[in-house]
Amino acid sequence: MESLGKRNPLSRKHFADFIKAYTGGIGMEEVKEKYDGRIDFDKRKTIEDERWSCLSREDIKSKNDSLDLGLIADESYSTNGSMADPLELAQEAMAELSQMTEELKGMMALLK
């Protein structure tokens, strides 16, 4: 999943895979016309997407009724014993803040 923020805000396109998995294969472009609101678990099970899996009550019960199903492995979360240097992180943040300050000064000059 791509990073979201001010420059890349959450939008409809980010829900396309979820809609397809939830409806059992109906794409976002067709959902208004084709989806009647019913849940077809058989169709849902045919969708192969590691982020959107269909779990039955039995699946959850087998995990001692825990909904802690774990996250998809993502290298951005693993540290492998090496964390970023706090000084380096602070320097990067300071550089970004300086750039934003200059951009704001430019905008303010245009508004005068």
Side-chain angles (χ1 to χ4, degrees):
M1 179 72 190
E2 59 188 293
S3 296
L4 301 172
K6 286 183 181 180
R7 294 185 180 126
N8 187 24
L10 184 65
S11 66
R12 291 178 56 89
K13 71 177 183 175
H14 293 105
F15 293 93
D17 292 336
F18 170 76
I19 290 170
K20 187 174 183 179
Y22 186 84
T23 61
I26 299 173
M28 189 163 58
E29 306 79 28
E30 314 167 299
V31 76
K32 284 184 181 179
E33 296 85 29
K34 292 187 176 181
Y35 186 60
D36 61 5
R38 294 185 204 146
I39 297 173
D40 187 333
F41 290 101
D42 292 330
K43 284 185 180 177
R44 276 187 173 181
K45 288 180 183 177
T46 64
I47 305 301
E48 294 183 22
D49 187 326
E50 66 180 357
R51 294 180 306 144
W52 310 109
S53 56
C54 183
L55 299 172
S56 68
R57 177 64 186 109
E58 290 77 28
D59 294 333
I60 297 169
K61 187 175 183 177
S62 72
K63 295 183 184 279
N64 200 23
D65 291 326
S66 173
L67 293 177
D68 184 12
L69 305 172
L71 297 172
I72 297 172
D74 182 343
E75 62 188 46
S76 68
Y77 290 110
S78 73
T79 59
N80 294 331
S82 62
M83 294 290 287
D85 178 30
L87 179 59
E88 188 177 313
L89 291 173
Q91 289 170 336
E92 287 176 17
M94 184 66 80
E96 285 183 33
L97 286 170
S98 295
Q99 182 181 2
M100 285 187 260
T101 301
E102 292 305 313
E103 289 176 17
L104 284 170
K105 285 180 183 177
M107 283 188 245
M108 289 172 58
L110 289 172
L111 294 171
K112 287 184 181 182

